[in-house]
Amino acid sequence: MLNIVLFGPPGAGKGTQSQSLIEKYSLVHLSTGDILRAEITGGTELGKYAKQIMDKGDLVPDEVVIQMISNKIDANLAAKGFIFDGFPRTIPQAQALDEMLAQKGTQISCMISLTVPEDELVSRLLKRGQTSGRADDNETAIRNRFNEYMMKTLPVASFYQNQNKLYQIDGVGSLDSIFDRIEGILSHFSA
Ligand code: AMP
């Protein structure tokens, strides 16, 4: 299996690059943000609970997102692999993911981390906020999302670096040029 963690701060382009990756590699895209937003749209209890946390830009508790991902992996056992987008965002999530995949006899192939300067991230997110309808694409929530990223999520890169699985690429440029950089890394891995 080809199991990729697409990593980076809010606004780095993880969702956009995931779309190109699933088309080319036929992988199952698992975005915890997308799954949570679908719960909100569906008006479920989980959605109602998550919305008040997400609107502030805080992280949803580990056990909630771990269970969500576990269900999705179990529902896609025949997959050629997964793109994890926005997950894992904490060390406990990363540990849980390693365990889940080991139980299925597989593992993370690599983490691809998109590097983008903070002023570029803020301008991308504010621009997205004009059309995304996302309640967390405003200045206060964006600041909090960056804080959460720095404090809880950034250590996840070291977690994969310790396993020699971290690949950093420049996340600035045209979508195609960034995709080329990702493909350059993925050419070393097979599904
Ligand atoms: P995203 O679409 O990845 O930017 O995620 C939007 C929001 O969903 C985040 O700011 C969090 O509130 C929540 N969220 C998404 N993924 C996770 C995760 N892995 N752990 C905790 N909260 C998450």
Side-chain angles (χ1 to χ4, degrees):
M1 285 177 100
L2 180 61
N3 297 313
I4 306 163
V5 176
L6 209 49
F7 187 77
K14 303 185 290 292
T16 310
Q17 291 298 331
S18 293
Q19 290 311 318
S20 310
L21 283 169
I22 45 179
E23 277 164 33
K24 170 133 193 198
Y25 293 90
S26 313
L27 302 172
V28 173
H29 179 213
L30 295 184
S31 156
T32 36
D34 285 352
I35 299 168
L36 288 165
R37 280 185 290 277
E39 295 283 342
I40 294 174
T41 307
T44 65
E45 285 307 311
L46 171 58
K48 284 177 203 153
Y49 166 72
K51 180 173 168 44
Q52 19 125 15
I53 300 172
M54 292 167 72
D55 283 358
K56 285 188 281 182
D58 289 341
L59 290 188
V60 173
D62 287 337
E63 54 276 20
V64 174
V65 285
I66 289 168
Q67 189 58 52
M68 275 173 22
I69 286 287
S70 171
N71 294 343
K72 292 284 179 187
I73 291 176
D74 286 345
N76 288 283
L77 286 180
K80 283 171 70 182
F82 295 97
I83 301 174
F84 297 97
D85 163 7
F87 181 92
R89 256 177 161 101
T90 65
I91 296 286
Q93 291 179 23
Q95 289 166 333
L97 180 60
D98 269 6
E99 282 168 28
M100 277 183 248
L101 293 177
Q103 276 171 17
K104 313 282 178 215
T106 184
Q107 58 175 323
I108 290 298
S109 312
C110 59
M111 167 186 266
I112 299 178
S113 169
L114 299 165
T115 308
V116 179
E118 187 165 325
D119 52 350
E120 164 90 12
L121 293 170
V122 175
S123 78
R124 284 186 191 179
L125 290 169
L126 290 174
K127 192 167 164 221
R128 185 174 78 183
Q130 292 168 6
T131 53
S132 68
R134 278 181 59 163
D136 59 349
D137 281 343
N138 65 75
E139 262 188 87
T140 316
I142 289 171
R143 206 171 311 120
N144 198 31
R145 286 158 70 197
F146 283 145
N147 271 341
E148 291 280 78
Y149 177 78
M150 294 306 288
M151 286 187 323
K152 299 174 186 166
T153 305
L154 206 47
V156 175
S158 308
F159 178 89
Y160 288 101
Q161 189 169 32
N162 291 338
Q163 299 183 15
N164 291 319
K165 290 180 177 171
L166 173 65
Y167 296 82
Q168 294 199 324
I169 61 163
D170 183 0
V172 180
S174 69
L175 297 184
D176 285 349
S177 63
I178 298 167
F179 188 62
D180 284 348
R181 289 169 208 153
I182 295 177
E183 285 204 291
I185 295 166
L186 293 183
S187 61
H188 301 289
F189 297 90
S190 56

